[in-house]
């Protein structure tokens, strides 16, 4: 596509200045330099390219190069070239200032949009209109992935930039928004393209040297992005409380945990009644609670549980018997196992016994 024609007004007074410099050898005045900066800013705001504007100045220099008349002193080429340098430099400075201001405005608008999008603020209809500017169609379903690393990140940090570059290099034609929020990396992608979030999770896990990534379920509409984002945050929080070390967590795989804690009081009653007696053990409830948690994670296989706890099978058997004595429930009995395991999950979710219920 041909570049738009640049109006001659951006060379205003340029040839006059060159002519005067050729005659007097003077440098550009402060007002003349400021005028060139103003023209550079106006050219940037008009959407012209700096390369084309510099070419215009050079063409104007060639066309208006002062010629010495008969009997006149030779044209001071060095002074004219110095004036060209000053004029073009001032013009480019104004142009770059305008561009930096535009970038800052764009960054502010993008950050405001992201905040409104992920916090569910602003009118939803207006939010959907603004989303098209950033490549999202909120009438469709979207899913959100959140990556947490060992440190807090901002968009200008090397790790988020590296992850975003990998995403854009792999999915340049997709409607994707990569950003940071509250120190975590965030990726928003169409719900019909799970490969994008899988790739984001892979790149983020590698870039953060083992960070954890959570992926919310796809939801439709502007409010759907907030819902998916909240699910991803809840999954990260759940992983911390439940000591889940999976590199990638999917909210769809963790739905049982919100169900278990939907009636918080009922769950607290179960934990107190089923596991409360463990407080009477020497060393408190935590060692035996940890034993039960690992025992269930190991599929109730004693040898594997003992290996994970660095215990002998005999020592593990003693602990299980002690749990049976204190609670009245036998971890090896299938009829007792479900109640005990549910109580153990509830204890982790409610942070018991560290917190009183």
């Amino acid at each position: 596509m041909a570049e738009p024609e640049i109006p001659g007004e951006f060379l205003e007074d340029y040839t006059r200045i060159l002519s005067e410099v050729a005659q007097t050898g003077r440098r550009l005045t402060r007002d003349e330099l400021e005028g060139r900066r103003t023209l550079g800013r106006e050219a940037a705001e008009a959407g012209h390219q700096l390369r084309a504007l510099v070419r215009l100045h050079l063409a104007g220099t060639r066309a208006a190069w002062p010629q010495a008349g008969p009997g006149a002193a030779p044209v001071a080429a060095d002074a004219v070239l110095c004036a060209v340098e000053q004029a073009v430099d001032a013009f480019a400075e104004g142009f770059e200032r305008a561009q930096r201001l535009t970038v800052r405005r764009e960054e502010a608008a993008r950050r405001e949009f992201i905040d409104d999008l992920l916090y569910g603020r602003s009118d939803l209809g207006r939010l959907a209109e603004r989303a098209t500017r950033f490549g999202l169609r909120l009438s469709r379903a979207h899913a959100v992935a959140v990556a947490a690393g060992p440190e807090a990140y901002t968009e200008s940090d090397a790790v988020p930039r590296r992850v975003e570059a990998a995403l854009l290099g792999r999915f340049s034609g997709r409607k994707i928004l990569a950003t940071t929020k509250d120190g975590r990396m965030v990726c928003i992608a169409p719900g019909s393209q799970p490969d994008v979030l899988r790739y984001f999770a892979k790149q983020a896990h590698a870039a953060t040297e083992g960070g954890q990534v959570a992926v919310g379920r796809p939801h439709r509409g502007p409010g759907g992005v907030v819902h998916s984002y909240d699910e991803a945050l809840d999954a990260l929080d759940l992983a911390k409380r439940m000591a889940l070390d999976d590199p990638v967590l999917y909210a769809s795989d963790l739905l049982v945990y919100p169900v278990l804690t939907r009636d918080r009081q009922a769950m607290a009653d179960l934990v107190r009644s089923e596991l409360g007696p463990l407080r009477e053990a020497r060393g408190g409830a935590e060692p035996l609670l940890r034993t039960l948690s690992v025992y269930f994670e190991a599929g109730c296989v004693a040898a594997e549980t003992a290996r994970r706890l660095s215990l002998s099978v005999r020592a593990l058997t003693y602990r299980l018997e002690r749990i049976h004595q204190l609670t009245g429930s036998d971890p090896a009995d299938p009829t007792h196992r479900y109640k005990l395991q549910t109580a153990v999950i509830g204890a982790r979710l409610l942070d018991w016994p560290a917190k009183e219920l």
Side-chain angles (χ1 to χ4, degrees), residues 110 113 117-118 134-146 167-168 171 173-179 185-201 214-222 224-229 232:
R110 186 174 187 268
F113 167 73
L117 181 65
L118 297 181
F134 300 98
L136 298 179
R137 297 181 182 178
L138 296 185
S139 59
R140 301 178 180 177
H142 286 80
V144 182
V146 180
L167 272 175
L168 296 178
F171 306 107
R174 309 280 186 96
K175 304 297 183 181
I176 303 169
L177 180 61
T179 184
M185 290 181 285
V186 178
C187 181
I188 304 170
S192 60
Q193 300 173 13
D195 56 324
V196 173
L197 297 185
R198 283 197 297 268
Y199 188 74
F200 168 79
V215 182
R217 293 177 296 164
H219 297 282
R220 188 174 296 276
V225 173
V226 181
H227 194 174
S228 185
Y229 176 63

Side-chain angles (χ1 to χ4, degrees), residues 21-327:
V21 168
Q23 295 174 12
T24 65
R26 69 175 179 85
R27 296 175 66 84
L28 272 67
T29 66
R30 181 177 300 177
D31 288 343
E32 288 170 339
L33 289 173
E34 189 57 37
R36 305 316 302 167
R37 294 188 186 100
T38 299
L39 289 172
R41 173 179 56 78
E42 293 174 352
E45 292 172 350
H48 297 295
Q49 294 183 0
L50 182 58
R51 182 185 62 186
L53 292 162
V54 170
R55 189 168 61 242
L56 179 69
H57 278 75
L58 295 178
T61 302
R62 187 174 61 251
W65 186 266
Q67 300 292 327
V75 174
D78 184 68
V80 174
L81 291 176
C82 182
V84 172
E85 179 184 358
Q86 281 188 288
V88 173
D89 181 68
F91 188 92
E93 181 183 354
F95 186 95
E96 290 171 355
R97 284 181 183 176
Q99 281 200 321
R100 285 195 296 269
L101 181 60
T102 299
V103 169
R104 284 196 294 269
R105 287 172 178 168
E106 285 294 317
E107 289 175 347
R110 186 174 187 268
R111 176 50 56 188
E112 181 183 3
F113 167 73
I114 289 168
D115 288 344
D116 290 346
L117 181 65
L118 297 181
Y119 284 149
R121 296 195 297 249
S122 184
D123 174 74
L124 294 183
R126 173 63 180 149
L127 194 62
E129 292 177 6
R130 292 162 61 196
T132 58
R133 176 181 175 185
F134 300 98
L136 298 179
R137 297 181 182 178
L138 296 185
S139 59
R140 301 178 180 177
H142 286 80
V144 182
V146 180
E151 58 186 88
Y153 301 109
T154 65
E155 285 187 328
S156 61
D157 290 338
V159 169
R161 288 205 309 268
R162 187 159 64 246
V163 173
E164 183 176 15
L167 272 175
L168 296 178
R170 178 76 174 268
F171 306 107
S172 59
R174 309 280 186 96
K175 304 297 183 181
I176 303 169
L177 180 61
T179 184
T180 60
K181 186 65 181 169
D182 297 330
R184 305 180 186 93
M185 290 181 285
V186 178
C187 181
I188 304 170
S192 60
Q193 300 173 13
D195 56 324
V196 173
L197 297 185
R198 283 197 297 268
Y199 188 74
F200 168 79
K202 178 181 178 182
Q203 294 297 318
H205 178 70
T208 57
E209 298 181 351
Q212 201 166 38
V213 185
V215 182
R217 293 177 296 164
H219 297 282
R220 188 174 296 276
V225 173
V226 181
H227 194 174
S228 185
Y229 176 63
D230 287 342
E231 286 182 344
L233 291 181
D234 289 343
L236 287 175
D237 180 63
L238 180 65
K240 184 177 181 180
R241 285 185 286 157
M242 296 294 296
L244 304 176
D245 57 2
D246 305 57
V248 183
L249 304 162
Y250 290 91
S252 57
D253 296 336
L254 304 174
L255 293 177
V256 65
Y257 296 105
V259 170
L260 290 175
T261 56
R262 189 159 295 166
D263 189 337
R264 184 183 178 89
Q265 187 56 53
M267 178 58 75
D269 290 342
L270 175 65
V271 172
R272 277 194 301 265
S273 63
E274 191 66 21
L275 302 178
L278 297 182
R279 288 182 179 274
E280 300 174 15
R282 185 171 58 184
E286 183 58 40
L288 295 182
L289 181 63
R290 168 68 177 160
T291 299
L292 280 173
S293 181
V294 175
Y295 181 66
F296 293 133
E297 290 172 4
C300 301
V301 177
E304 177 61 18
T305 304
R307 186 189 67 80
R308 295 186 186 186
L309 291 172
S310 300
L311 295 173
S312 66
V313 174
R314 182 176 180 179
L316 173 67
T317 302
Y318 170 78
R319 285 194 182 186
L320 295 177
E321 289 175 352
R322 184 63 175 145
I323 291 169
H324 188 187
Q325 291 171 1
L326 291 170
T327 66

